[in-house]
Amino acid sequence: WDPNVTPSGAPGEERPLTVRSLRGRSRSAMRFGTAAASLALAALASASLFVLSDAFAFRAVIPPTRRPPTADGRAPSFSSAAPPQNRLVASRLRSSVSDELAPGIRAIDESNESLCALLNQLRSEPHFRLYSCDLLASCEYMPQELFECYTESCEIYPVDDEEVPSAIRNVDAQEHDFELDGWARWDMPSDDYYDTDQFPEDFTGYDGSEIWNFIHERICFHDDTIVDEYDSDNWKADFNKAVSGLHSMVSAQVIRGIAEQIDSGEEFEEGVEWTDPAVEFNRRLSPEGETPKAIENLYFAYMLMLTGVAAARDRLLQDCNAGKIDAEAANTLRSILASDLLDDPSIAVASRKLHDHAVREDSIEALWEARMRTRELMRIMNCVQCNKCRFHGKIAVLGLSTALQVLLGRTGEGGDPSRIHRVELAALMTGLSKFSNAVSLVRRMQN
């Protein structure tokens, strides 16, 4: 780190050294320290795969395909490249909201604003805003240069040690175990905790199209059983729909961040392409945009999150009553858990559809694929080169994975909420807030 270089890379005034900046800036240098070990492990893994392929005709679960860059050298958007054979690409799906989801969408539109206010209040509490997150992990899926964020707006720093309640540190340290083939695997707890309140999701200008291309092409499912990418009579299409909803939620965050930056009068950094929230909404989320079902998929994933919270309600209330959540946060959480949306049958349609597809005789034995894909969804976040985006991306993925864990479990009949860790429950509620705010943004833009 050159103290005579500003965050933009141009010579400028010297920036003051602080403990926080040193802790943050040391991260890039530390990545090089693991290079030799990573190469050794890669060599061992390659040798193992060679033996397996020779003995068992090993086939990779994720197909080795990669779309070429566009004419201007940029990574293609999800809808810009030619679709693989035997499947429909999202940009070609031009149907309206499905009849089965319409009642649930109306119910959400009627009650979301009051719930959103409570969720935002909950997120201000330490139990739901402090996460120990690994921002040093290397990308395992594509070659990247080793540098930190493109701009200072991408960077985040750990909070001071005394700002993290000892109860949170102790619980996270105790709950470090995980199922090897579970739905998700959070980063191991460390001394560094990051605050979603101090570093909220906003517009950073980071282009994550390469990451989303990989997610949609390689982590989502594409095979002959999926006639419609998002609405086939198949749990794999349900999975794709939920992941697309996750993408829509992030797009809504970006659009909201652009609008907030304009409202604040803050200038956009040089070279930023996305500066008009209406244009970005039409491109990213509207039925005439790149993903015509983006909004429907957003609501679908939000319904899964709501039903997941309902399934974990007894566990959350138990933690409130046992004093594991501080009194102020517990009161807010109880109000959220009393929301009519959590018990609305029209909201449960999404999870019931997923359940009915998952418990079929030909599906139960294949659910391990969904668990594996959610773990890959978490690991691809390590390829995000904006630390703020990586941080919030990991929380959002863990929240969705936790909802799937309690809704499906290992057999499709549901998991045991009593085995969920604090960080998973916190991410579940934070993720619910993210989806709620995304729906609020959509409603404002539509009106």
Side-chain angles (χ1 to χ4, degrees):
W1 171 56
D2 184 355
N4 295 314
V5 177
T6 63
S8 63
E13 62 179 332
E14 184 172 337
R15 298 172 57 208
L17 280 174
T18 64
V19 173
R20 179 171 293 176
S21 65
L22 284 174
R23 290 173 73 182
R25 293 297 175 187
S26 65
R27 283 169 169 69
S28 290
M30 289 178 65
R31 290 192 178 100
F32 290 97
T34 60
S38 298
L39 288 173
L41 288 173
L44 178 61
S46 298
S48 300
L49 287 177
F50 178 80
V51 173
L52 286 172
S53 62
D54 184 54
F56 302 106
F58 178 82
R59 295 175 60 191
V61 175
I62 299 177
T65 59
R66 184 179 178 87
R67 288 179 177 168
T70 55
D72 60 3
R74 297 174 56 200
S77 66
F78 177 40
S79 60
S80 63
Q85 295 180 351
N86 299 326
R87 73 181 180 91
L88 297 176
V89 173
S91 60
R92 295 186 180 182
L93 301 176
R94 297 282 175 180
S95 62
S96 59
V97 173
S98 63
D99 292 339
E100 61 183 349
L101 295 181
I105 291 175
R106 287 194 295 270
I108 287 174
D109 289 343
E110 292 173 1
S111 304
N112 185 61
E113 288 307 313
S114 59
L115 179 61
C116 188
L118 287 171
L119 288 167
N120 288 337
Q121 181 179 339
L122 184 71
R123 285 186 60 180
S124 67
E125 301 296 334
H127 192 92
F128 298 96
R129 62 180 172 86
L130 293 173
Y131 296 85
S132 180
C133 181
D134 184 4
L135 299 182
L136 297 175
S138 300
C139 175
E140 303 175 6
Y141 299 97
M142 56 193 72
Q144 292 182 323
E145 296 180 14
L146 290 176
F147 58 89
E148 291 191 72
C149 295
Y150 294 132
T151 66
E152 186 66 16
S153 63
C154 287
E155 190 55 278
I156 63 175
Y157 302 99
V159 301
D160 295 333
D161 292 344
E162 60 270 17
E163 296 181 38
V164 184
S166 58
I168 290 180
R169 287 189 183 276
N170 293 338
V171 170
D172 289 350
Q174 293 169 6
E175 296 180 340
H176 66 275
D177 61 312
F178 57 88
E179 290 188 52
L180 194 61
D181 62 343
W183 282 96
R185 188 178 309 156
W186 183 248
D187 299 332
M188 286 290 106
S190 69
D191 291 337
D192 287 347
Y193 275 74
Y194 300 87
D195 189 341
T196 60
D197 204 32
Q198 182 180 358
F199 296 102
E201 55 270 63
D202 55 19
F203 179 60
T204 64
Y206 173 72
D207 182 358
S209 59
E210 185 177 25
I211 308 302
W212 284 114
N213 289 339
F214 187 96
I215 289 172
H216 289 297
E217 295 175 0
R218 314 268 304 267
I219 295 181
C220 288
F221 292 95
H222 311 297
D223 58 41
D224 293 338
T225 67
I226 305 175
V227 179
D228 184 312
E229 195 75 7
Y230 302 129
D231 287 305
S232 294
D233 189 23
N234 189 302
W235 64 267
K236 294 180 180 180
D238 298 334
F239 179 91
N240 292 351
K241 196 175 187 72
V243 172
S244 176
L246 179 73
H247 191 172
S248 298
M249 181 270 288
V250 174
S251 293
Q253 289 180 355
V254 171
I255 295 166
R256 185 185 66 192
I258 295 172
E260 289 176 348
Q261 187 163 337
I262 293 173
D263 292 342
S264 69
E266 182 182 352
E267 295 290 332
F268 290 97
E269 296 187 16
E270 184 178 356
V272 172
E273 298 181 38
W274 312 313
T275 58
D276 188 328
V279 170
E280 291 308 309
F281 177 83
N282 290 331
R283 179 174 74 86
R284 297 168 184 257
L285 294 177
S286 75
E288 292 74 34
E290 293 179 348
T291 309
K293 288 194 174 183
I295 294 177
E296 176 182 321
N297 296 347
L298 170 68
Y299 277 94
F300 179 82
Y302 187 24
M303 291 178 190
L304 292 180
M305 295 292 292
L306 286 165
T307 314
V309 170
R313 176 162 42 199
D314 289 345
R315 165 62 192 280
L316 288 164
L317 289 173
Q318 180 182 344
D319 286 357
C320 290
N321 298 333
K324 294 182 179 180
I325 301 175
D326 63 88
E328 188 172 350
N331 289 334
T332 304
L333 182 55
R334 289 189 182 97
S335 298
I336 293 170
L337 297 177
S339 171
D340 292 338
L341 283 178
L342 298 185
D343 298 306
D344 192 319
S346 67
I347 301 296
V349 165
S351 63
R352 187 166 59 250
K353 177 181 179 181
L354 177 62
H355 165 271
D356 292 347
H357 288 158
V359 297
R360 290 176 179 171
E361 186 175 352
D362 60 345
S363 300
I364 295 177
E365 296 299 324
L367 275 182
W368 66 269
E369 296 183 61
R371 298 197 301 274
M372 182 196 71
R373 301 290 174 114
T374 58
R375 296 196 301 274
E376 298 300 322
L377 195 59
M378 177 66 77
R379 293 170 71 184
I380 190 63
M381 292 298 121
N382 290 327
C383 298
V384 175
Q385 293 180 288
C386 162
N387 280 346
K388 182 183 290 185
C389 308
R390 177 188 294 203
F391 176 51
H392 282 281
K394 285 188 172 186
I395 294 172
V397 169
L398 182 62
L400 179 60
S401 300
T402 302
L404 294 174
Q405 177 182 342
V406 297
L407 292 175
L408 294 180
R410 303 181 69 86
T411 65
E413 295 292 354
D416 182 2
S418 66
R419 302 182 62 183
I420 301 176
H421 294 168
R422 181 209 74 89
V423 69
E424 294 172 320
L425 289 171
L428 177 65
M429 299 308 301
T430 301
L432 186 68
S433 174
K434 289 176 179 289
F435 277 98
S436 180
N437 279 283
V439 167
S440 294
L441 180 281
V442 168
R443 293 284 291 166
R444 289 196 298 270
M445 298 299 294
Q446 288 176 326
N447 293 333

